[in-house]
């Protein structure tokens, strides 16, 4: 069952992760069909991420109150309804509302799915389970442009939403059969004030970063909502310290390994989140490739992610969390920066080799980063931990895209010309450098940190 449960959860998570990127390739076709401009449809992308930001914080309370398995299956159902609504949208307004509704379902799938995994897996088997669960988070953003380009080109854009229906049905049925997880419920009171403040904080931050990085509205709206989001975040921290049952408890950051996992994972995810935004643009605008051709090149990174599943558990058992995470974080960031050296004359095989190795290192990194965060977290704190992890993931990805988009805009303005290869090179170097900083977070930890999860001590004894 160590692989059955994470693979069932991964089906739903893959559907969510792929959907968040697949739409980007199809925006021109959707815009033409519903009678609007492609740039206006950026609002649909933003609406989706805003829904995630609002409802992820409450996912932990929902799982504790109504049962994690029930909420996970309900989340898949809501996501399916949102997909159907998107496919039948006939205007900009209906499409934006449908994407928001779809985002509500998506907001519960990731944190609740991870909570089910943590509760059903012994700590000493968590690395292996996380290795299989990490696959969709890495494959989805990479296969999204490829699948979206294929379906839109050869069928119609409606299929990018219709394919979610059979996948979702399979996920609900399999979860009902195989997810026999201990469902200890903790009906703690809901923190209404915290929910409002957290919702405004995270949605304002995500919306602001989205507008700044992908301007579909005047930039002033992005800066204003970003300011509101940051202010609400500070107010939430003040509120959480005074309330008995905060929605997201900052006290969890007293755990050193959980704190390191959040900090290091967020830094590394800045670069990883920027790549699906930067690389297809560079391949298409800079090198003149079609969406399908660029997707075929970036897809190789997903194969690297899959390949790493067979070595991750053994590597962490032999070398431990801190050293392996430091190595994977540093060289994974370097390989992100190396993509800035690509030119139109670079052989496709060489680009794919860099992306393949980068996919292996990123997958190894996230497998360990996700697992070490639960090494010093109690089971009764797991629901809070998964919600905090999910929120930080969304914020760091949004920040990565915002940084990349901001660098492209700033570089073009300083040069006084249109977007060129140099602008992409600068962006890749910066986000790659930010990702390498994650290695220093983990290098400072004791070599045996999280050994109860990684099995590092056990492996050392066996070697003797």
């Amino acid at each position: 069952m160590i692989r059955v449960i994470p693979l069932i959860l991964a089906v739903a998570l893959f559907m969510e992760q792929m959907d968040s990127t697949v739409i980007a390739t199809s925006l021109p076709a959707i815009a033409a069909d519903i009678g609007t401009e492609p740039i206006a449809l950026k609002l649909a992308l933003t609406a989706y991420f805003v829904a995630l930001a609002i409802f992820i914080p409450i996912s932990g309370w929902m799982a504790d109150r109504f049962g994690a398995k029930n909420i996970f299956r309900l989340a898949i159902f809501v996501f399916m309804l949102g997909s159907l609504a998107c496919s039948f949208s006939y205007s900009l307004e209906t499409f934006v509302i449908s994407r928001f509704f779809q985002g509500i379902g998506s907001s519960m799938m990731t944190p609740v799915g991870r909570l089910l995994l943590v509760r059903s897996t012994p700590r000493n088997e968590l690395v292996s389970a996380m290795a299989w669960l990490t696959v969709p988070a890495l494959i989805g953003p990479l296969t999204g442009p490829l699948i979206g380009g294929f379906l839109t080109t050869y069928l119609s854009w409606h299929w990018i939403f219709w394919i979610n229906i059979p996948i979702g049905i399979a996920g609900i049925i399999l979860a009902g059969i195989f997810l026999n997880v201990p469902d200890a419920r903790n009906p703690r009171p809901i923190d209404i004030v915290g929910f409002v403040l957290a919702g405004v904080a995270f949605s304002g931050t995500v919306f602001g970063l989205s507008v700044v990085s992908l301007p579909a509205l005047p930039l002033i709206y992005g800066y204003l909502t970003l300011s509101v989001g940051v202010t609400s975040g500070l107010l939430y921290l003040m509120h959480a310290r005074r309330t008995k049952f905060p929605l997201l408890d900052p006290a969890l950051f007293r755990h050193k390994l959980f704190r390191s996992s959040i900090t290091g994972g967020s830094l590394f995810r800045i670069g990883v989140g920027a790549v699906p935004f930067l690389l297809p643009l560079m391949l298409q605008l800079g090198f003149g490739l079609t969406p399908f051709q660029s997707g075929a090149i970036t897809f190789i990174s997903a194969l690297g992610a899959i390949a790493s599943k067979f070595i991750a558990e053994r590597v962490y058992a032999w070398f431990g969390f801190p050293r392996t995470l430091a190595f994977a974080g540093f060289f994974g960031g370097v390989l992100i920066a190396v993509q800035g050296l690509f030119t139109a004359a670079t052989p496709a095989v060489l680009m794919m080799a860099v992306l393949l190795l980068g996919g292996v290192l990123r997958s190894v990194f996230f497998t360990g980063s996700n697992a070490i965060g639960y090494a010093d977290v109690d089971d009764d704190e797991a629901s809070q931990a998964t919600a905090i992890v999910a929120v930080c993931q969304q914020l760091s990805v949004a920040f990565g895209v915002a940084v990349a988009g901001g660098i492209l805009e700033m570089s073009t303005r300083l040069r006084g010309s249109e977007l060129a290869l140099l602008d992409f090179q600068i962006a890749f170097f910066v986000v790659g450098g930010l990702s390498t900083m994650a290695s220093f977070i983990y290098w400072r930890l004791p070599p045996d940190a999280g050994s109860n999860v990684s099995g590092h001590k056990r492996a050392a004894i066996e070697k003797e």
Side-chain angles (χ1 to χ4, degrees):
M1 292 295 288
I2 189 174
R3 292 184 181 178
V4 173
I5 291 179
L7 285 176
I8 292 173
L9 298 174
V11 170
L13 301 188
F14 170 76
M15 178 173 61
E16 173 220 332
Q17 292 287 339
M18 183 186 70
D19 191 86
S20 64
T21 55
V22 71
I23 187 178
T25 308
S26 308
L27 286 181
I30 298 173
D33 197 36
I34 65 176
T36 187
E37 295 296 325
I39 190 66
L41 279 184
K42 300 292 185 182
L43 292 173
L45 299 177
T46 302
Y48 182 86
F49 290 118
V50 167
L52 294 180
I54 292 175
F55 292 99
I56 282 177
I58 205 174
S59 61
W61 179 85
M62 293 281 288
D64 286 342
R65 180 65 179 83
F66 302 105
K69 178 179 175 179
N70 295 333
I71 295 301
F72 182 72
R73 298 176 74 193
L74 177 63
I76 296 176
F77 182 70
V78 172
F79 187 85
M80 290 166 53
L81 291 181
S83 297
L84 283 175
C86 288
S87 69
F88 290 110
S89 297
Y90 55 87
S91 66
L92 175 62
E93 293 77 14
T94 56
F95 191 72
V96 170
I97 293 172
S98 298
R99 283 292 287 176
F100 184 85
F101 186 70
Q102 193 182 29
I104 295 176
S106 179
S107 69
M108 301 287 169
M109 286 200 292
T110 297
V112 176
R114 187 175 286 114
L115 174 61
L116 284 166
L117 185 69
V118 172
R119 285 181 174 173
S120 63
T121 306
R123 287 294 192 268
N124 62 341
E125 297 177 352
L126 194 57
V127 171
S128 179
M130 282 291 183
W132 290 99
L133 189 67
T134 305
V135 170
L138 296 166
I139 295 180
L142 297 167
T143 57
L146 177 64
I147 294 175
F150 177 83
L151 292 176
T152 303
T153 301
Y154 298 106
L155 295 173
S156 75
W157 65 267
H158 304 83
W159 281 93
I160 67 176
F161 299 107
W162 289 341
I163 60 173
N164 291 330
I165 306 307
I167 298 175
I169 292 174
I172 292 175
I173 293 174
L174 291 174
I177 296 174
F178 293 103
L179 288 185
N180 299 315
V181 180
D183 204 4
R185 303 187 186 183
N186 179 26
R188 47 193 274 159
I190 178 113
D191 179 13
I192 298 294
V193 174
F195 174 62
V196 173
L197 289 174
V200 173
F202 297 132
S203 62
T205 302
V206 169
F207 182 84
L209 291 174
S210 298
V211 172
V212 170
S213 59
L214 298 170
L217 295 172
L219 285 177
I220 186 63
Y221 291 106
Y223 294 127
L224 285 176
T225 53
L226 193 56
S227 300
V228 171
V230 172
T231 301
S232 295
L234 295 175
L235 291 174
Y236 175 81
L237 289 176
M238 296 171 58
H239 163 77
R241 291 172 181 170
R242 296 195 304 265
T243 188
K244 185 177 181 180
F245 298 106
L247 185 69
L248 297 175
D249 193 353
L252 263 69
F253 285 92
R254 71 184 184 279
H255 300 301
K256 185 176 183 179
L257 299 184
F258 179 76
R259 185 173 66 249
S260 298
S261 173
I262 294 293
T263 306
S266 296
L267 279 171
F268 191 75
R269 197 171 279 104
I270 290 173
V272 174
V275 168
F277 168 71
L278 286 174
L279 190 56
L281 279 179
M282 186 175 73
L283 293 176
Q284 294 174 44
L285 299 182
F287 301 170
L289 301 182
T290 66
F292 186 72
Q293 288 173 326
S294 68
I297 291 176
T298 59
F299 177 74
I300 193 68
S301 187
L303 298 182
I306 296 174
S308 72
K309 302 300 104 179
F310 302 101
I311 64 171
E313 182 179 12
R314 190 169 301 175
V315 168
Y316 280 112
W318 277 75
F319 300 104
F321 279 126
R323 301 300 174 257
T324 305
L325 285 168
F327 177 89
F330 181 80
F331 287 102
V334 167
L335 287 177
I336 291 175
V338 166
Q339 295 174 45
L341 300 177
F342 292 166
T343 68
T346 304
V349 173
L350 181 58
M351 288 192 286
M352 294 172 75
V354 171
L355 296 177
L356 179 68
L357 183 56
V360 172
L361 290 175
R362 287 197 296 273
S363 182
V364 169
F365 178 90
F366 284 128
T367 295
S369 179
N370 290 335
I372 192 176
Y374 294 97
D376 54 359
V377 171
D378 298 331
D379 286 341
D380 58 351
E381 296 177 315
S383 60
Q384 289 263 327
T386 54
I388 292 174
V389 168
V391 167
C392 291
Q393 287 178 351
Q394 292 298 328
L395 291 177
S396 57
V397 169
F399 186 69
V401 175
V403 169
I407 292 172
L408 293 181
E409 183 178 354
M410 186 183 304
S411 180
T412 53
R413 286 187 178 182
L414 289 175
R415 292 191 304 103
S417 62
E418 295 183 352
L419 200 62
L421 180 59
L422 176 62
D423 306 315
F424 287 104
Q425 291 175 332
I426 296 173
F428 273 116
F429 295 156
V430 171
V431 297
L434 288 173
S435 288
T436 61
M437 293 174 63
S439 63
F440 300 104
I441 301 294
Y442 295 106
W443 187 260
R444 297 173 58 189
L445 295 175
D448 61 346
S451 57
N452 61 316
V453 174
S454 68
H456 180 49
K457 286 184 179 179
R458 184 174 67 253
I461 293 173
E462 291 175 354
K463 283 192 289 185
E464 296 176 358

